[in-house]
Amino acid sequence: MALSILTPSLCWGCGAGSGGHSLCRSCRALLRWAERVAEPACGVPAWAPVAYDGPARALVSGFKFRGGRGLAGELAAAIAAGAPEGLLAGALVPVPLARGRRRSRGYNQAEELARQLSQRTGLPVHDALERRGGSARQTGRSRGARLAGPPRFRAVRPAPPRAVLVDDVITTGATLAACAQTLRAVGAHEVVAVSYARTPGR
């Protein structure tokens, strides 16, 4: 109790006091919530609860780059609570991170989300993929560059019949498409995807 008074929780969006929440009331009001309908991302049916802008972008950045590993539970709860009916069925397959990126960060944010989703849905986590090549970031690349040179993946075990790809954010969908192609080659009959945020219009 004394510690929380001395170091009050701050909003990841604006830095103001947030009363123990990840976002203050003003920033929570700025979140743009999505309809409960999966829309294709490079051919993969995909859904995310919020638009990737404003406070949602700040949360994702904190989760990935600012040591906000503990945000995984809250982000997963938003996915589990609002997902379109029938979308969360099958096995959860986290999008893998390049080894170098994982070493420097200490964790893979997609795996953290998948574990938290598993706790809320009862779906198993199925680590079926490994990222190939270097550790170049997708963050900051243009849409054309992402689509022209998506990351490459390889299967490290057979895919589940229905795979639910899990990632923190969907931008162009190029990464999801590359993962889905690999999963289908090793046994997946159906591949869908969920994330916490999605770039508007994508």
Side-chain angles (χ1 to χ4, degrees):
M1 180 67 175
L3 181 61
S4 66
I5 293 174
L6 292 172
T7 56
S9 298
L10 300 180
C11 173
W12 286 91
C14 67
S18 61
H21 300 283
S22 61
L23 295 174
C24 66
R25 182 177 299 179
S26 296
C27 285
R28 289 199 302 270
L30 295 175
L31 291 172
R32 290 201 288 156
W33 296 91
E35 296 183 5
R36 299 179 67 177
V37 178
E39 298 287 348
C42 282
V44 180
W47 181 82
V50 298
Y52 184 49
D53 57 16
R57 182 184 285 269
L59 276 183
V60 171
S61 176
F63 181 38
K64 293 171 69 170
F65 306 123
R66 294 163 57 197
R69 189 173 186 171
L71 290 170
E74 180 178 341
L75 306 190
I79 297 171
E85 185 175 357
L87 189 67
L88 291 175
L92 304 170
V93 179
V95 173
L97 198 61
R99 290 180 181 178
R101 301 296 307 158
R102 181 172 185 138
R103 281 195 299 270
S104 63
R105 191 170 301 166
Y107 62 94
N108 174 5
Q109 70 276 358
E111 286 182 5
E112 298 297 315
L113 271 180
R115 290 193 187 100
Q116 292 292 332
L117 266 178
S118 177
Q119 291 182 18
R120 288 160 173 78
T121 63
L123 299 180
V125 177
H126 192 90
D127 287 306
L129 297 173
E130 182 177 86
R131 192 157 178 160
R132 300 172 61 192
S135 58
R137 292 183 181 179
Q138 289 287 81
T139 305
R141 299 180 71 199
S142 68
R143 175 178 174 81
R146 287 170 181 260
L147 292 174
R152 296 178 299 153
F153 302 92
R154 74 180 187 92
V156 294
R157 58 191 295 198
R162 189 179 196 274
V164 183
L165 286 166
V166 179
D167 208 355
D168 56 315
V169 62
I170 298 169
T171 50
T172 63
T175 295
L176 298 180
C179 286
Q181 182 179 25
T182 303
L183 289 171
R184 294 189 188 105
V186 291
H189 302 302
E190 185 177 7
V191 181
V192 300
V194 293
S195 71
Y196 171 67
R198 183 172 184 170
T199 301
R202 302 286 175 81

